[in-house]
Amino acid sequence: MTELRYLPDDDDVTEFEATVVETTADYVILDGTHFYPGGGGQPADRGALSWPGGEAAVVDARKNHGDVRHYVDDVRGELPGVGTTVAGRIDAERRDRLTRLHTAQHVVSRVVLDEYGAATVGNGLSTDGGWVEFEGADVDVAEIERLTNAAVDRDLAVHKAERPRAVVEDAVPEGRAQLDLIPDHVDPMRVVDVEGFDVCPCGGTHVDALGDIGTVRITGASAEDGVTRVAFDVTP
Ligand SMILES: [Zn+2]
């Protein structure tokens, strides 16, 4: 098992040390990691591992039966053996951009729910930008952008914590999260609570205050089969 050290609220850490528990030609498993292994629409982190006498680029990270595999490339020296202490360094600039985009997605989803009663049914992001899909087709993109930035400008605190599932189910409004898709055994849940604005269970990385997002720009919108897709970007 790899301890997911970015949970529940250390998602601003990009340098850490950990111990190797398994090494293959393709990947290294550590006892704990700050690399986000992808999921919930957010891509995995990239970065590097280094150890006495060697280093490697981490080109992908993926969960596998409770472990996180750090896929390595450009290996210098021998890959580290079991028990070796390695230093992990996440590409902080890339992580920061994905973190700001991801948190912006929470705000856009909440704005769309409040303004149009429309539930988010899909979302994703890359370093090029993010997108949200929601039910319904009659939206005003300029209004979504205005309301999103109005929330961001309030610079609300973003709290990340483990909470009992029952508490989360009470706090999350209808249409905000697909709680029924989260297996029953997930209890407690990691929740992202934007103070006085939104609560949503989520395992990704998020800023500590909405002002850290920057400015959100809606870059496109399209509708098909009763689902609207809004693309967005963030600028510092
Ligand atoms: Zn999230």
Side-chain angles (χ1 to χ4, degrees), residues 102 105-106 192 201-206:
H102 184 130
Q105 182 258 307
H106 282 241
V192 176
C202 185
T205 66
H206 308 80

Side-chain angles (χ1 to χ4, degrees), residues 8-232:
D9 64 349
D10 282 334
D11 40 9
D12 55 349
V13 177
T14 55
E15 294 187 23
F16 65 99
E17 286 193 346
T19 303
V20 175
V21 296
E22 186 184 339
T23 297
T24 74
D26 298 324
Y27 59 80
V28 176
I29 297 175
L30 305 172
D31 62 344
T33 192
H34 279 276
F35 277 83
Y36 184 64
Q42 181 177 341
D45 286 324
R46 294 177 189 161
L49 297 178
S50 60
W51 56 92
E55 62 184 348
V58 175
V59 294
D60 198 5
R62 286 186 186 277
K63 270 192 193 171
N64 184 280
H65 299 288
D67 290 329
V68 173
R69 294 176 172 180
H70 302 78
Y71 286 88
V72 291
D73 199 1
D74 296 331
V75 180
R76 188 177 63 76
E78 291 285 313
L79 279 167
V82 172
T84 305
T85 299
V86 301
R89 182 169 43 79
I90 292 163
D91 180 338
E93 198 174 319
R94 183 174 178 280
R95 159 71 85 82
D96 178 67
R97 177 156 168 76
L98 294 171
T99 295
R100 291 189 298 118
L101 281 163
H102 184 130
T103 315
Q105 182 258 307
H106 282 241
V107 180
V108 171
S109 286
R110 183 62 190 228
V111 162
V112 167
L113 180 65
D114 286 347
E115 196 64 10
Y116 301 104
T120 292
V121 292
N123 65 274
L125 48 109
S126 73
T127 51
D128 292 331
W131 55 269
V132 178
E133 282 181 346
F134 48 91
E135 294 171 331
D138 193 18
V139 300
D140 179 341
V141 169
E143 186 70 353
I144 292 172
E145 183 178 272
R146 187 185 72 75
L147 291 168
T148 298
N149 284 308
V152 169
D153 288 346
R154 290 166 68 196
D155 198 21
L156 301 169
V158 181
H159 303 288
K160 294 150 270 185
E162 300 273 355
R163 300 235 182 100
R165 185 175 183 124
V167 171
V168 178
E169 287 178 344
D170 281 348
V172 175
E174 184 80 21
R176 181 62 188 90
Q178 292 170 302
L179 281 163
D180 52 327
L181 296 185
I182 302 173
D184 288 340
H185 67 79
V186 179
D187 187 0
M189 286 178 161
R190 197 279 193 114
V191 279
V192 176
D193 181 342
V194 183
E195 202 165 297
F197 177 71
D198 185 51
V199 180
C200 189
C202 185
T205 66
H206 308 80
V207 299
D208 292 329
L210 287 192
D212 297 342
I213 291 173
T215 301
V216 181
R217 199 161 44 89
I218 304 293
T219 54
S222 58
E224 195 173 334
D225 298 330
V227 171
T228 298
R229 182 184 177 109
V230 170
F232 62 92

